Amino acid sequence: MPIVEFKNVSRIYVSGDHEQKALDKVSFSLDEGKFVVILGPSGAGKSTLLWLAAGLYVPLSGKVTASGKVGLLPQQVQSIFVRKTLEEDLFEALPSARDAQGRQREALFAQRIAPVAARCGLEGLLHRHPFDLSGGEQQRAALAKVLLQQPDILLLDEPTSQLDPVAASAFLTTLSRLNRELGVTVLLVEQRLEEALPLCDRVLLLDKGRLAAQGSPAAVGQALCKDAHGMFEAMPTAMRVWAAVESGAAC
């Protein structure tokens, strides 16, 4: 059974007196443990797809099924920090740990907090105020808070948009490692395709609310090249070089 499935899903948005389809009869299914990149031009419906998968939107028509627990990383991660230190904030993500004291708190830290902090590269930052962290550190801290909820499906909407190239690359590498080691299914809306596409198993290309292409990065890249689609210019350098050289090699 797929862990995420869209069946003929449509959704509209209203701007003044004008209605427009944010998604138009979108259908796909994803198996557990996949790393999926969702791409497309501005206004293609990428964020709408994530919010539907998270259950925050209801489709106008069609059906959305998510058979596992969903964790959503917000675009403005600062909004989820509520405590004076990162360690306290991570405890806040565990309802059963909020009132824990003494040995119970130490045990919860060792069993739940410390492993997630280590996976996200936060070990030396737990005593810091979340707002004193760099942008990349805040993103990893927010990711850790979501992971403490033990999601089966992780949804991320352009998490690297405010990060410098080094921090963005580090965050995407962390995300890929979590996908491999924990088996969590990842749906990632991302513009940094040079770094993101080599990490993923599957690509969903949205254009004007429709699912224009889906498949492996190579298959989608080849389809975009064949159709002279404008999104091909955003593909990784290696793919664009492949298209420019008549070698007969696979994409």
Side-chain angles (χ1 to χ4, degrees), residues 25-54:
K25 297 180 180 178
V26 169
S27 295
F28 65 88
S29 62
L30 302 176
D31 292 333
E32 184 177 2
K34 295 298 184 182
F35 191 125
V36 182
V37 170
I38 304 166
L39 58 91
S42 178
K46 303 184 295 295
S47 296
T48 300
L49 187 150
L50 282 191
W51 295 333
L52 282 161

Side-chain angles (χ1 to χ4, degrees), residues 170-214:
F171 181 85
L172 292 172
T173 299
T174 297
L175 192 60
S176 177
R177 187 174 67 249
L178 293 169
N179 167 252
R180 295 194 309 272
E181 294 177 356
L182 301 180
V184 62
T185 302
V186 175
L187 274 73
L188 169 68
V189 174
E190 185 55 64
Q191 299 294 330
R192 296 178 188 264
L193 302 182
E194 194 80 38
E195 294 87 359
L197 283 196
L199 303 176
C200 75
D201 308 297
R202 181 95 172 268
V203 175
L204 301 178
L205 171 65
L206 293 174
D207 194 357
K208 298 179 181 178
R210 289 184 173 271
L211 187 58
Q214 61 174 312

Side-chain angles (χ1 to χ4, degrees), residues 83-139:
R83 297 295 182 181
K84 292 182 179 179
T85 69
L86 178 54
E87 181 178 327
E88 292 172 350
D89 228 307
L90 294 178
F91 269 106
E92 182 71 21
L94 295 172
S96 62
R98 292 172 186 170
D99 298 323
Q101 300 292 331
R103 291 186 177 179
Q104 183 186 10
R105 183 180 175 89
E106 292 175 2
L108 284 169
F109 179 84
Q111 295 167 6
R112 298 290 305 277
I113 304 293
V116 170
R119 288 184 185 277
C120 295
L122 302 171
E123 302 99 312
L125 305 174
L126 296 177
H127 66 286
R128 302 267 300 277
H129 193 294
F131 291 166
D132 291 336
L133 303 177
S134 69
E137 291 165 347
Q138 286 185 349
Q139 284 286 3

Side-chain angles (χ1 to χ4, degrees), residues 1-5 29-32 65-68:
M1 179 180 176
I3 195 168
V4 178
E5 188 169 23
S29 62
L30 302 176
D31 292 333
E32 184 177 2
T65 303
S67 58

